Amino acid sequence: MTNKHKTLGEFIIENQQSFQYSSGELARLINSIRLAAKVVNHEIRKAGLVDITGAAGEINVQGEAQQKLDVYANDIFKETLINREIVCGIASEEEDDFVIVEGSNKKNENNYVLMMDPLDGSSNIDVNVSVGTIFSIYRRLTPTGTPVTIDDFLQPGRNQVAAGYVAYGTSTMMVFTTGDGVNGFTLNPAIGTFYLSHPNMKIKETGKIYSISEGYYAHFGKGMQAYLNYCKEEEGDRPYTARYIGSLVADFHRNLLKGGIYIYPRSKTAPNGKLRLLYECNPMAFIAEQAGGKASDGFTRVMDIVPTELHQRIPFHTGSKQMVIKSEEFMAKYK
Ligand code: AHM
Ligand code: MG
């Protein structure tokens, strides 16, 4: 079959053999994410009707309590994965601690843990700006048949077996990797099917876009400030274009398609940056590398960092390889 009309479901079946371990479990897991993404998408698309259906925290006309969309997304992903008995544990930006999923027979038979940011950039929903879901999948380290422990979650990003995001933008897209390149699927909302629209995505070696909340310039370190001055200098292909939506999935996705760098650095008020290593940085790093790009904390490869806590934050530089390398050169100069 040509790529032109290939659905996500068909893609998963065809590529199952190339998935690491390929027991069919990972394919079922990605299928579950696909389903949850469609449900969350449906709810997000109604968000503009908030005056009619009631705002979060209010009771709507049907007498139902309205949930905040990030809590809703968290519940849908959790419920779908638990109902389908497909993971042994879940960690989420929306949960204080990890969730053990024993299975209905309490045998802890499953092998994968999933980490997610169920709705990143959710404050953007009120102003009709794109948001996204980010996910990251690992094999458990502890033996099958026992409940998962924190060790199953605190793995370095290089252990990921799959990672991806869903961008709820002008269209809804699911982009993911299983360690064999990056593929993007666009939802046809009329029939509820994702189609392979962006096969084998590659990010340019270098680009012309830099994405950072430059308003905090005065709070950044010397290396970051020097790099930003470099981005704005008139020299060669510079000055670069500044594009910052403030929604990681949307900023990352644009740079993946066009070439560019996204940075959330450390600052005086955010000494470790803002983004979470496990839910945001590792999955995006895996996708960036699989697309030929790069991701670091300014000094170290993101996927080599050994996590010490679930909600750990790190500074994050990702995008076109040469741009990330250049930003690291400036960071090293003022270390
Ligand atoms: P969230 O997980 O609370 O939604 O925060 C993450 C978001 C990212 O999507 C975005 O890149 C960043 O926060 C924007 O932060 P800032 O407003 O400080 O620039
Ligand atoms: Mg987030």
Side-chain angles (χ1 to χ4, degrees):
M1 187 184 285
T2 61
N3 272 346
K4 200 147 179 242
H5 299 292
K6 192 176 289 177
T7 68
L8 174 52
E10 289 159 0
F11 178 89
I12 292 171
I13 294 166
E14 271 175 39
N15 288 278
Q16 228 184 86
Q17 293 316 314
S18 74
F19 294 179
Q20 286 183 65
Y21 309 103
S22 79
S23 61
E25 237 178 305
L26 183 59
R28 287 203 295 133
L29 177 45
I30 291 171
N31 265 324
S32 307
I33 294 170
R34 170 182 70 158
L35 171 65
K38 285 197 273 190
V39 177
V40 170
N41 177 64
H42 178 71
E43 199 63 22
I44 287 174
R45 298 300 175 200
K46 296 192 299 193
L49 296 169
V50 81
D51 288 342
I52 301 164
T53 57
E58 284 176 4
I59 306 290
N60 70 12
V61 284
Q62 284 93 35
E64 303 155 330
Q66 292 292 290
Q67 256 183 332
K68 281 185 67 180
L69 274 173
D70 43 10
V71 179
Y72 177 85
N74 188 54
D75 290 351
I76 291 294
F77 275 93
K78 240 172 68 185
E79 234 177 78
T80 308
L81 297 167
I82 292 173
N83 287 349
R84 291 194 162 196
E85 310 224 2
I86 197 69
V87 290
C88 51
I90 300 169
S92 161
E93 203 183 284
E94 291 292 330
E95 308 269 343
D96 292 337
D97 209 348
F98 63 88
V99 179
I100 299 171
V101 185
E102 297 202 286
S104 52
N105 61 8
K106 304 259 183 286
K107 285 192 173 160
N108 296 288
E109 283 167 335
N110 292 318
N111 292 307
Y112 291 101
V113 295
L114 179 124
M115 297 192 239
M116 64 175 168
D117 183 351
L119 207 59
D120 184 71
S122 54
S123 61
N124 285 313
I125 285 179
D126 296 343
V127 290
N128 206 352
V129 166
S130 304
V131 289
T133 296
I134 309 171
F135 61 89
S136 168
I137 299 168
Y138 295 76
R139 294 278 292 193
R140 64 183 305 169
L141 294 177
T142 53
T144 312
T146 61
V148 285
T149 73
I150 185 75
D151 296 339
D152 295 308
F153 296 92
L154 298 184
Q155 301 190 48
R158 58 172 180 265
N159 289 4
Q160 287 173 105
V161 293
Y165 60 80
V166 184
Y168 310 97
T170 43
S171 60
T172 299
M173 274 194 77
M174 181 160 156
V175 173
F176 73 94
T177 180
T178 53
D180 186 23
V182 180
N183 290 283
F185 301 81
T186 303
L187 181 67
N188 178 341
I191 52 174
T193 302
F194 281 101
Y195 286 94
L196 179 60
S197 52
H198 295 66
N200 194 20
M201 298 171 87
K202 291 286 173 217
I203 186 167
K204 289 183 183 147
E205 272 282 306
T206 190
K208 280 193 59 97
I209 298 172
Y210 74 112
S211 311
I212 180 169
S213 184
E214 209 176 343
Y216 300 130
Y217 182 90
H219 288 177
F220 295 155
K222 288 246 159 24
M224 197 67 249
Q225 290 181 337
Y227 176 67
L228 292 174
N229 296 339
Y230 166 88
C231 291
K232 292 185 288 189
E233 226 169 56
E234 189 173 14
E235 176 78 57
D237 62 345
R238 287 166 290 135
Y240 296 148
T241 305
R243 287 283 183 276
Y244 189 68
I245 298 170
S247 198
L248 174 63
V249 172
D251 280 308
F252 180 93
H253 185 68
R254 180 203 50 243
N255 291 356
L256 176 59
L257 293 178
K258 300 209 154 185
I261 183 168
Y262 172 96
I263 308 179
Y264 205 112
R266 68 174 83 250
S267 70
K268 212 151 80 182
T269 49
N272 297 315
K274 178 184 186 193
L275 301 179
R276 288 355 197 270
L277 172 59
L278 297 179
Y279 316 119
E280 289 157 334
C281 305
N282 269 333
M284 291 314 207
F286 193 18
I287 296 166
E289 288 194 8
Q290 283 291 318
K294 192 169 157 67
S296 82
D297 68 355
F299 303 95
T300 309
R301 179 182 180 227
V302 167
M303 292 206 287
D304 283 338
I305 298 172
V306 180
T308 53
E309 51 181 307
L310 275 183
H311 295 283
Q312 187 171 344
R313 297 174 198 267
I314 58 159
F316 191 43
H317 300 217
T318 191
S320 292
K321 194 187 257 170
Q322 294 311 324
M323 296 178 90
V324 174
I325 290 173
K326 184 53 92 179
S327 73
E328 288 172 333
E329 282 170 20
F330 279 94
M331 298 301 289
K333 229 187 266 179
Y334 296 91
K335 200 174 177 179

